[in-house]
Amino acid sequence: MSETGTVERPTATDVVVVGAGVAGLSAAVAARDAGAQVEVAEAWPQIGGLSLLSSGYLRAADDLDRAVAYLRRLSAGTLPDDGVRTLAGYLVAAPALLEALAAEVGATAFARFGAELAPFESGDLHDWTGRDALGWTGIDALPGFDRYPHASGQRGHTLVRALELAARARGVRVQTSTRVVDLLIEHAAHGRPRVGGVVLDGPDGRAAVRARRGVVLATGGFEFDATALADHVPAPGIAAIGHRGNRGDGLRLAARAGAALWHLANVHGSYGFLLPGRDVPIRNHLGGARRDDRPVGWILVDRRGRRFTNEAPRAPQDTPWKALAAIDDASGEAWASPCWLLFDDDGRRLGPLGRPAWSRPQDRYEWSADNSAEIRSGAIVVAATLDELAQRIGLDPPALRATVAAWNDQVDAGADPLGRPPGTMAPLRRAPFHALRTVPILSNTHGGPRHDAAQRVLDGDGRPIAGLWAAGELGSWFGHRYLLGGNLTEALAGGAAAGRGAAARVQAVAA
């Protein structure tokens, strides 16, 4: 009997997969190929999850040992050695996995390494041992398919659609608008918990489903659970831009089964803008990897009028949120949350400041090419002089003038003490001047149940919880810094590993 009090005799299947993004669909396909009967429950009305909003490309590696070296430094001690090697193995396996998937659905996959990569494709990587082994793999297009209408993105849609077709071809049943609200937890003779199924809440009400072999949690993150975010991510004022369906379901389900949790404070995020009338911010237009020769026409200043961070780091969508959310030790204030993005008229003409992402049609927004619509709406504040701009946004005019003057001198010298490459630096001299209120944002969380190299969820003593697996960003392998494209790699390869593991488990559960 579950904690919800569901007592009716349940239906049964071999494997239940919770979530229908890349991790969940990959788990379902692999479990079915291993001979299991599979049911997939997706809480959102449509499949895909955060994977739809992604680039659709997976980080890959062509050498296991060199990938291990890079990932060991990237993880900074947050992963055991077998976890580092497992993640590196996923990077190496990714091209073959995608090639097989693409061939099945009539598409073509690519893999690029070394000299085949454009400079910006490795712009996010540090100059550490092993970076030369890292590349990319993906499916560019799927014949007869463009994109789903219910979310932003393009190539992420292609990857999800390919997995959807593979799941359909195998007779996998996917139930949308069906949320898993509890696990069926039994206790073996030795007293340890065993997960034997799930409780679904769907269009026809609540029902229990037994899982004869196992349950795979692939529910995504907890970025749209405000309580979990406040509890685990030390970032005042941070706001989520990802998929609204990521409400922490997997976190709560795993905790009920006694799972240990890890990587809760590590999130993938940047800085962005909350426009009038919108409750989800829009990220800045910088891509996932910096382009050292592309001018970035703005600087960020905190509420004291001071510039405080490199606005264009190697991975512009990964770590910038940390600088905005930092707490000043002397005052106890997060002076940069919110802060202001400043640019002049030349900067305005460089292109749109924002790159919207949305997971519901009603959230769709198109940022104007020259930022004029955002000026008209009042989101962007405009003034003829820096002093006037400072007064309008509540900053000290002399402090702002001094900050901009120092920045212009640094641009002229081609040297930024905060580390921006000269090719990204642009002066702020041409009136009118502009300011846009800016907040720390996150694309997705990485925390969740701790798992082993086979994706089995572990309890507080490091022992596998019978019948429970996790995959994707729920309990991601990334515990310190993120590797661009790595979530999709661990979703595809880790999902498949979890699906195979769950299908292989022998469990005598009466239907």
Side-chain angles (χ1 to χ4, degrees), residues 217-509:
L217 299 178
T219 58
F222 58 88
E223 52 266 28
F224 280 91
D225 180 336
T227 299
L229 204 59
D231 286 347
H232 302 304
V233 181
I238 198 166
I241 67 165
H243 197 281
R244 287 181 181 266
N246 284 7
R247 299 170 289 188
D249 288 358
L251 198 66
R252 290 184 291 274
L253 293 170
R256 288 176 192 167
L261 304 177
W262 69 354
H263 302 162
L264 293 169
N266 188 40
V267 304
H268 175 49
S270 184
Y271 55 90
F273 324 112
L274 272 170
L275 301 189
R278 296 181 59 85
D279 63 346
V280 173
I282 294 172
R283 77 178 201 181
N284 66 73
H285 83 75
L286 299 177
R290 181 178 68 200
R291 300 193 181 201
D292 288 355
D293 59 350
R294 177 175 291 180
V296 176
W298 66 73
I299 61 172
L300 291 171
V301 299
D302 64 20
R303 298 193 306 281
R304 297 168 295 187
R306 303 173 186 175
R307 183 166 173 258
F308 60 92
T309 189
N310 175 358
E311 299 85 356
R314 291 177 181 272
Q317 300 302 330
D318 183 23
T319 58
W321 68 273
K322 296 181 179 181
L324 275 73
I327 303 293
D328 177 62
D329 184 62
S331 66
E333 292 279 351
W335 288 111
S337 180
C339 60
W340 292 95
L341 185 143
L342 299 184
F343 55 103
D344 67 357
D345 204 51
D346 288 339
R348 178 187 67 81
R349 297 171 188 271
L350 284 176
L353 299 175
R355 180 181 293 181
W358 42 274
S359 56
R360 305 182 307 179
Q362 59 265 44
D363 291 333
R364 182 170 186 161
Y365 182 84
E366 299 293 337
W367 197 286
S368 61
D370 60 359
N371 304 293
S372 59
E374 291 70 35
I375 292 173
R376 288 193 299 271
S377 74
I380 295 176
V381 181
V382 185
T385 67
L386 286 173
D387 282 6
E388 180 189 352
L389 185 66
Q391 291 168 353
R392 294 195 61 186
I393 62 177
L395 301 185
D396 178 59
L400 186 61
R401 263 190 281 114
T403 293
V404 173
W407 169 250
N408 287 337
D409 289 344
Q410 292 157 11
V411 174
D412 293 341
D416 174 23
L418 297 181
R420 261 176 71 170
T424 70
M425 299 169 69
L428 276 66
R429 291 193 173 103
R430 187 182 298 278
F433 298 96
H434 308 75
L436 179 57
R437 188 176 183 270
T438 302
V439 298
I441 62 169
L442 67 102
S443 300
N444 62 282
T445 58
H446 287 124
R450 187 183 184 100
H451 54 77
D452 64 9
Q455 304 290 149
R456 297 179 300 178
V457 174
L458 304 178
D459 66 16
D461 294 320
R463 300 175 301 187
I465 297 172
L468 192 62
W469 284 255
E473 69 187 82
L474 177 67
S476 166
W477 289 109
F478 294 101
H480 178 58
R481 287 190 173 186
Y482 178 57
L483 179 65
L484 192 64
N487 278 148
L488 285 180
T489 305
E490 67 175 338
L492 185 72
R500 287 192 299 270
R505 179 173 176 267
V506 178
Q507 177 183 349
V509 178

